[in-house]
Amino acid sequence: MARPVLIALLATAAFAACGPAGAEGLLPYTVAGDAVPDSLTGTKGDATRGRALIVERSSTCILCHSGPFPEQAFQGDLAPNLSGSGSRWSEGQLRLRLVDASHFDPATIMPSYYRIDGLTRVGNAWRDKPILSAEQIEDIVAYLVTLRD
Amino acid sequence: MKFVGCIAILAALAGTALATEIPQADRRSGYSFMGPDSRAMQDDDTSNPGMLWVLDGETLWKRKAGTAGKACGDCHSDARVSMKGVAARYPTFDKALGKPVDLEGRINLCRSNHQQAPPLAYESRELLALTAYVAQQSRGMPIEVGNDPDLAPFVAKGHELFTRRQGQLNLACANCHDDNWDRKLAGAPITQGQPTGYPLYRLEWQSLGSLQRRLRACITGIRAQAYEYGSPELVELEAYLMSRARGMKLETPAVRP
């Protein structure tokens, strides 16, 4: 019982310090250099769930990316193959890439999966919701770090 | 100063990132991205399902409608003559209305002004059939939209919409259809979005459908709020896309996956 309270307190403190502006409804996170070092939820994600999420069409990942998913007939090639992601990037770097890829390149076509501000004409069904929840992002990060060359 | 310079450079980069329009010589119809089966289906009128709508349209062309008791053919005679090349010029600027009108809009204006008949709903069987019948008379003719200075500001608005990021996925049409055509999205090639064959038969729809239907589906795909059928925005997008495809040949009724 004590832990969620502690996380909430820490989260509130972090939000006051450096939470992204206008992102009410999202858990605050801290960018350090090119990474978000700490879990968005305060807990480690589940890699098995992460893999299932990545190949699910509604997550949108493999519309553009391909990866080590031999059972998936329809993968994209608009973006890098996800194989070896965990060798190329640290957990924190992967987390920031998912949360807000535009941090690295404002012209990127990769959506910011954990952002609700700065968007235009979002459809009713998706308004004020991030593309992926903090839990889903942590699950995907937990899976991506296991992808080693 | 350094900071301001940085912003200026970033803004310039963001601007140019979407400014890569497709060179004339590289323009390709969606037809060229299809497999041989779909091409064969389009090429043969006896296997092209769109021809069913064209035949319906031919019947409707001759059928009297509205309180004026007139058929399209009573004023326009033989569509094979009078409608030849017409669809290649749409959307066109309507001087009386002061705004662009697409082919569906023109058919409905004809109904209200000359037939005293109620407008046909977008994507109704009748409107698709009449539009397909009229557009088929221009099959093989080059698209001519983009020459009228009155239409130019609406084409410019359409272009602005085409390059504006929208929706939860924060994507513009141009991100895919200018910058990444011929790459694969979920295994299928991204086309250039050249509107050469509308209304067209889409296997995914199991039906004929309008360009506006396709645009709305794409806009929903980026998780943005789709513009309403007949809205100025959709007509502006149509005008931009048709001017972008200027010189390409009409294929109505096309077949697409």
Side-chain angles (χ1 to χ4, degrees), chain A residues 61-105:
Chain A
C61 308
I62 66 167
L63 299 184
C64 292
H65 291 278
S66 54
F69 320 117
E71 80 286 4
Q72 296 296 325
F74 304 110
Q75 305 182 32
D77 68 0
L78 287 158
N81 189 299
L82 295 173
S83 301
S85 297
S87 303
R88 289 195 294 279
W89 312 110
S90 70
E91 179 193 309
Q93 288 172 325
L94 287 165
R95 186 176 290 112
L96 180 53
R97 275 174 164 71
L98 273 163
V99 163
D100 185 15
S102 71
H103 179 89
F104 300 98
D105 173 12

Coordinates of all heavy atoms in Angstrom, one line a residue, chain A residues 61-105:
Chain A
C61 N 2.8 -0.3 -34.3 CA 4.3 -0.5 -34.5 C 4.6 -1.1 -35.8 O 5.5 -0.6 -36.6 CB 4.8 -1.3 -33.4 SG 4.4 -0.8 -31.7
I62 N 4.1 -2.3 -36.1 CA 4.6 -3.0 -37.3 C 3.9 -2.6 -38.6 O 4.1 -3.1 -39.6 CB 4.5 -4.6 -37.1 CG1 3.1 -5.1 -37.0 CG2 5.3 -5.0 -35.9 CD1 3.0 -6.6 -37.2
L63 N 3.0 -1.6 -38.5 CA 2.6 -0.9 -39.7 C 3.8 -0.4 -40.4 O 3.9 -0.5 -41.7 CB 1.6 0.2 -39.5 CG 0.2 -0.2 -38.8 CD1 -0.7 1.0 -38.7 CD2 -0.5 -1.3 -39.5
C64 N 4.7 0.2 -39.7 CA 5.9 0.9 -40.3 C 7.2 0.0 -40.1 O 8.0 0.1 -40.9 CB 6.1 2.2 -39.6 SG 4.8 3.4 -40.1
H65 N 7.3 -0.6 -38.9 CA 8.5 -1.4 -38.6 C 8.3 -2.8 -39.0 O 7.2 -3.4 -38.9 CB 8.8 -1.3 -37.1 CG 9.2 0.0 -36.6 ND1 10.5 0.5 -36.7 CD2 8.5 1.0 -35.9 CE1 10.6 1.7 -36.1 NE2 9.4 2.0 -35.6
S66 N 9.5 -3.5 -39.3 CA 9.5 -4.9 -39.3 C 10.3 -5.4 -38.1 O 10.8 -4.5 -37.4 CB 10.1 -5.4 -40.6 OG 11.4 -4.8 -40.8
G67 N 10.4 -6.7 -37.9 CA 11.1 -7.2 -36.7 C 11.1 -8.7 -36.7 O 10.7 -9.3 -37.7
P68 N 11.7 -9.3 -35.7 CA 11.8 -10.7 -35.6 C 10.4 -11.4 -35.3 O 10.2 -11.9 -34.2 CB 12.8 -10.9 -34.5 CG 12.6 -9.7 -33.6 CD 12.2 -8.6 -34.5
F69 N 9.5 -11.2 -36.2 CA 8.1 -11.7 -36.0 C 7.7 -12.6 -37.2 O 6.9 -12.2 -38.0 CB 7.1 -10.5 -35.9 CG 7.6 -9.3 -35.1 CD1 7.8 -8.1 -35.6 CD2 8.0 -9.5 -33.7 CE1 8.3 -7.0 -34.9 CE2 8.4 -8.4 -33.0 CZ 8.6 -7.2 -33.6
P70 N 8.4 -13.7 -37.3 CA 8.2 -14.5 -38.5 C 6.7 -14.9 -38.8 O 6.3 -15.2 -39.9 CB 9.0 -15.8 -38.2 CG 9.3 -15.8 -36.8 CD 9.3 -14.4 -36.3
E71 N 5.9 -14.9 -37.7 CA 4.5 -15.3 -37.9 C 3.6 -14.2 -38.5 O 2.5 -14.3 -38.8 CB 3.9 -15.8 -36.6 CG 3.4 -14.7 -35.6 CD 4.6 -14.0 -34.9 OE1 5.8 -14.2 -35.2 OE2 4.3 -13.1 -34.0
Q72 N 4.2 -13.0 -38.6 CA 3.5 -11.8 -39.0 C 3.7 -11.6 -40.5 O 4.8 -11.2 -40.9 CB 3.9 -10.5 -38.2 CG 3.5 -10.6 -36.8 CD 2.0 -10.7 -36.5 OE1 1.2 -10.1 -37.2 NE2 1.7 -11.5 -35.5
A73 N 2.7 -11.8 -41.3 CA 2.8 -11.6 -42.8 C 2.9 -10.2 -43.2 O 3.5 -9.9 -44.2 CB 1.7 -12.3 -43.5
F74 N 2.3 -9.3 -42.5 CA 2.2 -7.9 -42.9 C 2.9 -6.9 -42.0 O 2.4 -6.5 -41.0 CB 0.7 -7.5 -43.0 CG -0.1 -8.4 -43.9 CD1 -1.0 -9.3 -43.3 CD2 0.1 -8.5 -45.3 CE1 -1.8 -10.1 -44.1 CE2 -0.6 -9.3 -46.1 CZ -1.5 -10.2 -45.5
Q75 N 4.2 -6.7 -42.4 CA 5.0 -5.7 -41.7 C 5.4 -4.6 -42.6 O 5.4 -4.7 -43.8 CB 6.3 -6.4 -41.1 CG 5.9 -7.7 -40.3 CD 7.1 -8.4 -39.7 OE1 8.1 -7.8 -39.4 NE2 7.0 -9.7 -39.6
G76 N 5.8 -3.5 -42.0 CA 6.2 -2.3 -42.8 C 7.7 -2.2 -43.0 O 8.4 -2.8 -42.4
D77 N 8.0 -1.3 -44.0 CA 9.4 -1.0 -44.1 C 9.7 0.5 -44.2 O 10.6 1.0 -44.9 CB 10.0 -1.7 -45.4 CG 9.5 -1.2 -46.7 OD1 8.6 -0.3 -46.7 OD2 9.9 -1.7 -47.7
L78 N 8.8 1.3 -43.5 CA 9.0 2.7 -43.5 C 10.0 3.1 -42.4 O 10.4 4.3 -42.4 CB 7.6 3.4 -43.1 CG 6.6 3.4 -44.2 CD1 5.2 3.6 -43.5 CD2 6.8 4.5 -45.2
A79 N 10.3 2.2 -41.6 CA 11.1 2.5 -40.4 C 12.1 1.4 -40.1 O 11.9 0.3 -40.6 CB 10.2 2.8 -39.2
P80 N 13.1 1.6 -39.3 CA 14.1 0.6 -39.1 C 13.5 -0.8 -38.6 O 12.6 -0.8 -37.8 CB 15.1 1.2 -38.1 CG 14.9 2.7 -38.2 CD 13.4 2.9 -38.6
N81 N 14.2 -1.9 -39.0 CA 13.8 -3.2 -38.4 C 14.2 -3.1 -36.9 O 15.2 -2.6 -36.5 CB 14.7 -4.2 -39.1 CG 14.3 -5.6 -38.8 OD1 14.3 -6.0 -37.6 ND2 13.8 -6.4 -39.7
L82 N 13.2 -3.7 -36.1 CA 13.4 -3.6 -34.7 C 14.4 -4.7 -34.1 O 14.8 -4.6 -32.9 CB 12.0 -3.8 -34.0 CG 11.0 -2.7 -34.3 CD1 9.6 -3.1 -33.7 CD2 11.5 -1.4 -33.8
S83 N 14.8 -5.6 -35.0 CA 15.8 -6.6 -34.5 C 17.1 -5.8 -34.0 O 17.5 -4.9 -34.6 CB 16.2 -7.5 -35.6 OG 15.1 -8.2 -36.1
G84 N 17.6 -6.3 -32.8 CA 18.8 -5.7 -32.3 C 18.6 -4.3 -31.6 O 19.5 -3.7 -31.2
S85 N 17.3 -3.9 -31.4 CA 17.0 -2.7 -30.7 C 17.7 -2.6 -29.4 O 18.3 -1.5 -29.0 CB 15.5 -2.5 -30.5 OG 14.8 -2.5 -31.7
G86 N 17.7 -3.7 -28.7 CA 18.3 -3.7 -27.3 C 19.8 -3.6 -27.3 O 20.4 -3.3 -26.3
S87 N 20.4 -3.9 -28.5 CA 21.9 -3.7 -28.6 C 22.2 -2.3 -28.9 O 23.3 -1.8 -28.6 CB 22.5 -4.7 -29.7 OG 22.1 -6.0 -29.5
R88 N 21.3 -1.7 -29.7 CA 21.6 -0.3 -30.2 C 21.3 0.7 -29.1 O 21.9 1.8 -29.1 CB 20.8 0.0 -31.5 CG 21.3 -0.8 -32.7 CD 20.7 -0.2 -34.0 NE 19.3 -0.4 -34.1 CZ 18.7 -1.5 -34.5 NH1 19.4 -2.5 -34.8 NH2 17.3 -1.5 -34.6
W89 N 20.3 0.5 -28.3 CA 19.8 1.5 -27.4 C 19.6 1.0 -26.0 O 19.3 -0.2 -25.8 CB 18.4 2.1 -27.9 CG 18.3 2.4 -29.3 CD1 17.6 1.7 -30.3 CD2 19.0 3.5 -30.0 NE1 17.8 2.3 -31.5 CE2 18.6 3.4 -31.4 CE3 19.8 4.5 -29.6 CZ2 19.1 4.3 -32.3 CZ3 20.3 5.4 -30.5 CH2 19.9 5.3 -31.9
S90 N 19.8 1.9 -25.1 CA 19.6 1.5 -23.7 C 18.1 1.5 -23.4 O 17.3 2.1 -24.2 CB 20.2 2.5 -22.7 OG 19.6 3.8 -22.8
E91 N 17.7 1.0 -22.3 CA 16.3 1.0 -21.9 C 15.7 2.4 -21.9 O 14.6 2.7 -22.4 CB 16.1 0.3 -20.5 CG 14.7 0.3 -20.0 CD 14.6 -0.1 -18.5 OE1 15.2 -1.1 -18.1 OE2 14.0 0.7 -17.8
G92 N 16.4 3.3 -21.3 CA 16.0 4.7 -21.2 C 15.9 5.4 -22.6 O 15.0 6.2 -22.8
Q93 N 16.8 5.1 -23.5 CA 16.8 5.6 -24.8 C 15.6 5.1 -25.6 O 14.9 5.8 -26.3 CB 18.1 5.3 -25.6 CG 19.3 6.1 -25.1 CD 20.6 5.6 -25.7 OE1 20.8 4.4 -25.9 NE2 21.5 6.5 -25.9
L94 N 15.3 3.8 -25.4 CA 14.1 3.2 -26.1 C 12.9 3.9 -25.6 O 11.9 4.2 -26.3 CB 14.1 1.7 -25.9 CG 15.1 0.9 -26.7 CD1 15.3 -0.5 -26.1 CD2 14.8 0.9 -28.1
R95 N 12.8 4.1 -24.3 CA 11.6 4.7 -23.6 C 11.4 6.1 -24.2 O 10.2 6.4 -24.6 CB 11.8 4.7 -22.1 CG 10.5 5.2 -21.4 CD 10.7 5.2 -19.9 NE 10.8 3.8 -19.4 CZ 11.9 3.2 -18.8 NH1 13.0 3.9 -18.7 NH2 11.8 2.0 -18.4
L96 N 12.4 6.9 -24.4 CA 12.2 8.2 -24.9 C 11.8 8.2 -26.4 O 11.0 9.0 -26.9 CB 13.4 9.1 -24.8 CG 13.3 10.6 -25.3 CD1 12.1 11.3 -24.8 CD2 14.5 11.4 -25.0
R97 N 12.3 7.2 -27.1 CA 12.0 7.0 -28.5 C 10.5 6.7 -28.7 O 9.8 7.2 -29.6 CB 12.8 6.0 -29.2 CG 14.1 6.6 -29.7 CD 15.1 5.6 -30.2 NE 16.1 6.3 -31.0 CZ 17.1 7.1 -30.4 NH1 17.1 7.2 -29.1 NH2 17.9 7.7 -31.1
L98 N 10.0 5.9 -27.8 CA 8.5 5.6 -27.8 C 7.7 6.8 -27.3 O 6.7 7.1 -27.9 CB 8.2 4.4 -26.9 CG 8.4 3.0 -27.6 CD1 8.5 1.9 -26.5 CD2 7.2 2.8 -28.5
V99 N 8.1 7.4 -26.2 CA 7.3 8.5 -25.6 C 7.2 9.6 -26.5 O 6.2 10.2 -26.8 CB 8.0 8.9 -24.3 CG1 7.5 10.2 -23.8 CG2 7.7 7.8 -23.2
D100 N 8.4 10.0 -27.1 CA 8.4 11.3 -28.0 C 9.5 11.3 -28.9 O 10.6 11.9 -28.7 CB 8.4 12.5 -27.0 CG 8.3 13.8 -27.8 OD1 7.9 13.7 -29.0 OD2 8.6 14.9 -27.3
A101 N 9.4 10.6 -30.1 CA 10.4 10.5 -31.0 C 10.8 11.8 -31.6 O 11.9 12.1 -32.1 CB 10.1 9.5 -32.2
S102 N 9.8 12.8 -31.6 CA 10.1 14.1 -32.1 C 11.1 14.9 -31.3 O 11.7 15.9 -31.8 CB 8.8 14.9 -32.3 OG 8.4 15.3 -31.0
H103 N 11.4 14.4 -30.1 CA 12.5 14.9 -29.3 C 13.8 14.9 -30.1 O 14.7 15.8 -30.0 CB 12.6 14.2 -28.0 CG 13.7 14.6 -27.1 ND1 13.5 15.6 -26.2 CD2 15.0 14.3 -27.0 CE1 14.7 15.8 -25.5 NE2 15.6 15.0 -26.0
F104 N 14.0 13.8 -30.9 CA 15.3 13.6 -31.7 C 15.2 14.3 -33.0 O 16.2 14.8 -33.5 CB 15.6 12.1 -31.8 CG 15.7 11.4 -30.5 CD1 14.7 10.7 -30.0 CD2 16.9 11.5 -29.8 CE1 14.8 10.1 -28.8 CE2 17.0 10.9 -28.6 CZ 16.0 10.1 -28.1
D105 N 14.0 14.3 -33.6 CA 13.9 14.8 -35.0 C 12.5 15.4 -35.1 O 11.5 14.6 -35.2 CB 14.1 13.7 -36.0 CG 13.9 14.1 -37.4 OD1 13.7 15.4 -37.6 OD2 13.8 13.3 -38.3

